[in-house]
Amino acid sequence: MIRRRISSGSSFEENIGYSRAIVQDNWVFVSGTTGFDYNTMTIADDIVTQTDQCLKNIIAALAQADATLEDVVRVNYVVPDASEFSACWPVLRAYFGEIRPAAMMIAAGLADPRMKIEIEVTAIKQASR
């Protein structure tokens, strides 16, 4: 199968030189995704709202790859302030509670000081799709 690129339309993809996601065979690799609303290129001030928007952005990328959150097997979280991560847990549980992918959280700086969280996922599309 030929590698397929998925784009969100974000100017960051063109300016930096990456894809929102890559599809290779049944694998889907979604790039680190922030809480920007790509329609308005705005971002909320709080980590909880950003987390919800991150996951909406990831769902949109997965849909373009004919995948869903249920296909996610790995998730990586990056937060600048580790003490804020627990505020995200209810949102993460709402999206991933039944899926329970392997996960890791890293505390590190992000490209823009407005960003409170970045989420990256890896998915394997089920054979039935």
Side-chain angles (χ1 to χ4, degrees):
M1 177 177 217
I2 297 173
R3 182 169 84 160
R4 183 166 57 106
R5 290 187 298 232
I6 304 291
S7 175
S8 67
S10 165
S11 61
F12 294 124
E13 294 168 33
E14 181 68 27
N15 292 337
I16 299 171
Y18 72 97
S19 296
R20 170 62 37 224
I22 295 291
V23 180
Q24 180 73 44
D25 298 322
N26 285 341
W27 290 89
V28 182
F29 303 91
V30 180
S31 292
T33 304
T34 63
F36 273 96
D37 179 330
Y38 296 128
N39 293 321
T40 62
M41 285 311 290
T42 59
I43 192 165
D45 292 331
D46 68 285
I47 193 169
V48 174
T49 305
Q50 285 190 29
T51 301
D52 187 64
Q53 186 62 52
C54 284
L55 290 162
K56 289 176 181 174
N57 293 342
I58 288 167
I59 289 168
L62 289 169
Q64 289 182 61
D66 299 319
T68 69
L69 279 184
E70 288 78 18
D71 297 315
V72 172
V73 295
R74 180 87 172 132
V75 60
N76 294 314
Y77 306 102
V78 181
V79 295
D81 183 350
S83 70
E84 290 190 325
F85 188 57
S86 62
C88 303
W89 294 356
V91 175
L92 299 175
R93 189 171 40 256
Y95 283 93
F96 288 122
E98 297 299 316
I99 302 162
R100 299 181 68 171
M104 179 176 69
M105 187 281 286
I106 300 169
L110 296 174
D112 183 320
R114 296 175 294 171
M115 296 173 182
K116 307 283 186 190
I117 189 167
E118 187 167 344
I119 303 172
E120 170 192 63
V121 302
T122 302
I124 303 173
K125 294 192 287 184
Q126 303 304 308
S128 62
R129 283 194 205 119

